[in-house]
Amino acid sequence: MGDHKEQPLRVGAAVRRRRRSLELTLAVVAERSGLSVPFLSQIENERARPSTSSLEKVADALRTTAVELLAAADPACSVDVVRAEVTEPGPGTEPEPRSRSLVRGHHQMHASEFTGDHDAGREFQYRNDQLMYVADGAVEIEAEGRAYRLGRGDTLYLTGGVRHRWRATVPDTRVVVVAVAEHIEAVRDRDRGRKP
């Protein structure tokens, strides 16, 4: 018995749909992202697969997240298995930082795994709540003017709207981020508990 959906994600179609919904040209997205128009065209036509860094630049230019683009690239299903990606670095080379979605499709929850380091200067702000879990290694997270050091097995909860950035402080760090999807309007009831 095989896993549901063995074919690769069609992220290019998701990028094109998002760009068109915002009524943007490829030239505008290229200017915002710092990527070339021909490369963006290749992504949209599934002739090039963007790196994690390039996908984040495209997502920023389209005012969304890489996770949302990946989710929109794959239709939702009720039961799905996402297999571990096993990649061995070549002799004498450092493993490349990478991220992968752990939940495919357009669901109310997203989960991604980040391995290695990433652009530590990049600031994140999600509309909805998220949880960061350190599966291996250690990270430092800056949120609301304070630094938090997390080690293996630690978690950090962030309320929606909190600006934050993080960096791995140990090689081969693996962080799992679980978040309420951006397309869900998950807002707190500020009047809860008040008497009329």
Side-chain angles (χ1 to χ4, degrees):
M1 297 197 217
D3 295 341
H4 180 71
K5 288 189 239 150
E6 297 289 338
Q7 63 234 26
L9 295 176
R10 296 182 49 84
V11 73
V15 169
R16 183 183 310 111
R17 281 192 305 272
R18 176 68 181 181
R19 178 179 63 79
R20 287 181 177 169
S21 75
L22 295 172
E23 298 179 355
L24 299 175
T25 65
L26 280 172
V28 169
V29 176
E31 182 179 325
R32 288 182 180 178
S33 66
L35 302 172
S36 71
V37 170
F39 180 59
L40 290 170
S41 177
Q42 288 176 345
I43 290 171
E44 286 193 359
N45 291 302
E46 307 293 343
R47 289 193 300 266
R49 186 169 176 100
S51 67
T52 301
S53 173
S54 293
L55 188 58
E56 287 175 351
K57 289 176 183 177
V58 170
D60 288 346
L62 295 174
R63 297 186 196 110
T64 188
T65 64
V67 170
E68 285 294 319
L69 288 175
L70 289 170
D74 203 13
C77 59
S78 58
V79 177
D80 193 12
V81 174
V82 178
R83 297 283 182 200
E85 296 175 3
V86 180
T87 56
E88 295 295 324
T93 62
E94 290 289 317
E96 289 282 318
R98 62 187 173 92
S99 66
R100 69 183 183 109
S101 181
L102 302 176
V103 177
R104 295 186 284 201
H106 210 56
H107 293 286
Q108 294 182 8
M109 179 189 76
H110 288 296
S112 295
E113 177 187 63
F114 297 89
T115 304
D117 213 347
H118 67 97
D119 180 3
R122 184 163 189 244
E123 187 174 71
F124 297 92
Q125 181 181 28
Y126 296 100
R127 179 170 54 178
N128 296 323
D129 298 353
Q130 72 171 345
L131 178 85
M132 296 180 77
Y133 170 74
V134 181
D136 285 309
V139 298
E140 185 175 88
I141 301 166
E142 293 177 32
E144 296 188 321
R146 196 165 161 210
Y148 300 88
R149 295 177 193 272
L150 278 69
R152 185 175 184 215
D154 292 342
T155 62
L156 178 80
Y157 170 82
L158 295 162
T159 299
V162 172
R163 292 182 184 277
H164 62 284
R165 67 186 75 211
W166 66 274
R167 67 181 185 88
T169 57
V170 173
D172 299 327
T173 292
R174 283 187 322 129
V175 176
V176 175
V177 177
V178 180
V180 176
E182 290 288 304
H183 67 277
I184 304 297
E185 189 64 42
V187 295
R188 291 185 301 276
D189 183 359
R190 288 175 170 66
D191 295 327
R192 189 182 314 170
R194 291 185 186 171
K195 293 186 179 182

